[in-house]
Amino acid sequence: MHNNSLLIRNVRPLGRNATDLLIRNGKIAAQGTGLDAAETEVINGAGQLLLPGLVDAHTHIDKTFWGQPWQRHQAGPRLIDKIENERRLRRELNLSAEVQSANQIRQAIRMGTTHIRTHVDVDTEIGLSSIEAVLASKETFGDSMTLQLVAFPQSGLMIRPGTRELLEAAIDAGADLVGGIDPGAIDRDPAGHLDCIFDIAERKQVGIDIHLHEADQLGATSIELILERTRALGMQGKVTISHAFCLGMLPDAQLGELITQFQALDITIMTHGPGHIAFPPIKRLYEAGVKICAGSDGIRDAWGPYGNADMLERAMLMGFRSNYRQDDELEMILDICSFGGARVMGEKNYGLDTGCSADFVLVDAQTPTHAIVSRPPRSLVCKAGRIVARNGECLV
Ligand SMILES: [Zn+2]
């Protein structure tokens, strides 16, 4: 080994022709066949499929039960049942958000994820403790995982006085974005809620990523209010609407009008392919040029038993729920689970081109679609030029 360099022979980037990849100082320094291997560690890629590092652009790593004894899931059906159940379990289990977030990060690394945007609970009961815990994990993992934190008022904002100040303090402490949640359904004060988070975002010069589960016209109205504020404050390119279930429920003409505004205001839509409800028509948005990213959402937490922090599995779920059967469609989903997420996280040197940061994953699959449907173990995961997982085992 020399100069932090690594030569990976015989890999097929996104299924294209086989090539060698020379990694130096954290970057893809060269690619081509028969690259010089002098004084360099060489790995035989054996013709495996090379994918860019996967991007989980929406999850909740502070809350997972990963690595803990199984918890029976028995929360009621409504959103508020789940929020209250979670608050109760949080008190009873008293898990360390630092340990739990590290558990999920390691699992994500095993699965080939190199970037995570996580929403971290901030409320008047726990204050900034989860933010501080996840920031500590971010420090621990350093270059092994790119981590963005959204300060997230899970329990409501206007209905819990003191939360606004905590969100601001979370940004000051190091959170990257300000979050929000269902301004109409939870806070019952859509304008107040949105004015509050846009005000924080503007003053602190950070982006916004808001959870919007609201259905039908309630959701559409909230989106209109979000768009209004994005336009008024010149926050183009800095706003993500997560879930946006209502986009899967609106009349076609109304959806078309919103898509035009998403394009104009450079809004990103996040979906995780939910099992229980309509969700954004991915292909329609993607083909219109609207930015889309994807995430696991919560895994193995008080909200539900599902999830493996595996973005190939997520891609399969999104494709399955969308009834996408063509390779083109699943390649689009993979693009959303990689480049789409990197874009929303503002990564400039992401990808498999020479000069990009060496963030990638190697799998024994023939094509990207084959990788999504078969989800083989990740044989090699490289982050910033360093091997962070091998044969399904996390090395950090
Ligand atoms: Zn979420």
Side-chain angles (χ1 to χ4, degrees):
M1 178 113 82
H2 181 66
N3 275 347
N4 299 321
S5 61
L6 180 66
L7 182 66
I8 306 179
R9 290 227 185 269
N10 189 20
V11 295
R12 292 176 303 111
L14 290 166
R16 297 189 291 262
N17 291 340
T19 184
D20 301 342
L21 219 56
L22 179 65
I23 314 302
R24 192 172 285 150
N25 299 324
K27 291 195 163 56
I28 300 173
Q31 43 193 316
T33 46
L35 293 181
D36 181 17
E39 297 180 68
T40 300
E41 182 187 351
V42 180
I43 290 176
N44 179 8
Q48 292 184 82
L49 180 70
L50 181 77
L51 302 175
L54 301 169
V55 182
D56 194 338
H58 182 121
T59 185
H60 296 262
I61 65 174
D62 55 321
K63 306 204 283 193
T64 184
F65 297 153
W66 196 277
Q68 298 296 332
W70 191 260
Q71 292 296 323
R72 288 196 70 78
H73 292 268
Q74 45 205 359
R78 298 170 306 161
L79 187 63
I80 198 70
D81 296 331
K82 295 191 174 65
I83 290 174
E84 278 166 9
N85 176 61
E86 171 167 75
R87 289 166 66 87
R88 181 181 60 77
L89 275 174
R90 196 170 67 191
R91 282 189 291 265
E92 286 174 15
L93 297 174
N94 198 25
L95 298 177
S96 154
E98 186 174 347
V99 171
Q100 294 312 115
S101 58
N103 287 350
Q104 185 171 333
I105 291 170
R106 286 202 178 85
Q107 171 62 14
I109 289 172
R110 286 184 62 225
M111 294 293 133
T113 292
T114 53
H115 297 68
I116 292 175
R117 175 183 280 186
T118 189
H119 294 250
V120 184
D121 279 16
V122 169
D123 69 30
T124 49
E125 210 171 277
I126 59 166
L128 298 185
S129 61
S130 290
I131 290 278
E132 284 157 3
V134 176
L135 285 170
S137 280
K138 180 175 178 169
E139 179 97 24
T140 302
F141 285 89
D143 289 344
S144 307
M145 177 63 76
T146 301
L147 198 59
Q148 258 183 9
L149 280 71
V150 184
F152 176 46
Q154 171 79 79
S155 306
L157 174 53
M158 308 307 280
I159 52 171
R160 290 186 193 276
T163 306
R164 171 203 294 256
E165 290 73 15
L166 286 166
L167 287 181
E168 291 208 40
I171 302 293
D172 291 340
D176 303 280
L177 299 102
V178 59
I181 184 168
D182 295 350
I186 290 187
D187 268 354
R188 297 186 186 279
D189 180 5
H193 181 107
L194 293 171
D195 283 344
C196 177
I197 63 173
F198 272 88
D199 172 60
I200 295 172
E202 195 201 13
R203 281 188 294 106
K204 304 285 181 188
Q205 290 292 299
V206 293
I208 286 178
D209 189 335
I210 181 167
H211 278 69
L212 193 69
H213 312 94
E214 294 166 358
D216 300 306
Q217 294 305 324
L218 179 60
T221 304
S222 289
I223 289 181
E224 291 286 0
L225 295 172
I226 291 167
L227 298 174
E228 242 171 49
R229 285 158 180 75
T230 304
R231 190 180 301 110
L233 296 176
M235 283 190 58
Q236 288 87 343
K238 296 182 106 180
V239 177
T240 304
I241 306 176
S242 280
H243 299 308
F245 297 146
C246 66
L247 296 179
M249 307 171 185
L250 301 177
D252 196 70
Q254 191 180 8
L255 175 65
E257 280 168 27
L258 288 178
I259 285 175
T260 304
Q261 295 194 68
F262 293 157
Q263 294 162 329
L265 296 170
D266 201 4
I267 300 286
T268 298
I269 301 297
M270 191 297 301
T271 186
H272 75 299
H276 66 302
I277 196 165
F279 64 106
I282 298 171
K283 197 170 171 181
R284 169 106 186 256
L285 295 168
Y286 186 89
E287 287 180 347
V290 175
K291 290 180 179 165
I292 314 178
C293 62
S296 299
D297 206 4
I299 66 159
R300 312 267 185 109
D301 60 16
W303 293 73
Y306 297 108
N308 290 301
D310 179 359
M311 290 306 292
L312 287 182
E313 179 182 83
R314 184 57 45 190
M316 185 199 65
L317 292 169
M318 291 165 62
F320 183 80
R321 271 236 60 201
S322 302
N323 194 27
Y324 294 155
R325 294 159 186 258
Q326 298 177 0
D327 282 59
D328 282 355
E329 294 170 324
L330 287 158
E331 286 162 11
M332 169 189 73
I333 298 282
L334 184 66
D335 184 62
I336 290 167
C337 293
S338 52
F339 286 91
R343 204 176 297 126
V344 75
M345 289 179 67
E347 290 293 291
K348 302 260 184 288
N349 296 314
Y350 176 88
L352 296 177
D353 295 336
T354 301
C356 288
S357 177
D359 297 357
F360 54 78
V361 51
L362 209 54
V363 288
D364 184 9
Q366 296 170 44
T367 68
T369 300
H370 186 215
I372 291 171
V373 300
S374 59
R375 301 178 307 288
R378 314 305 123 97
S379 39
L380 190 78
V381 182
C382 200
K383 172 68 182 173
R386 184 170 152 227
I387 297 170
V388 289
R390 209 159 183 175
N391 300 324
E393 206 181 310
C394 179
L395 304 177
V396 292

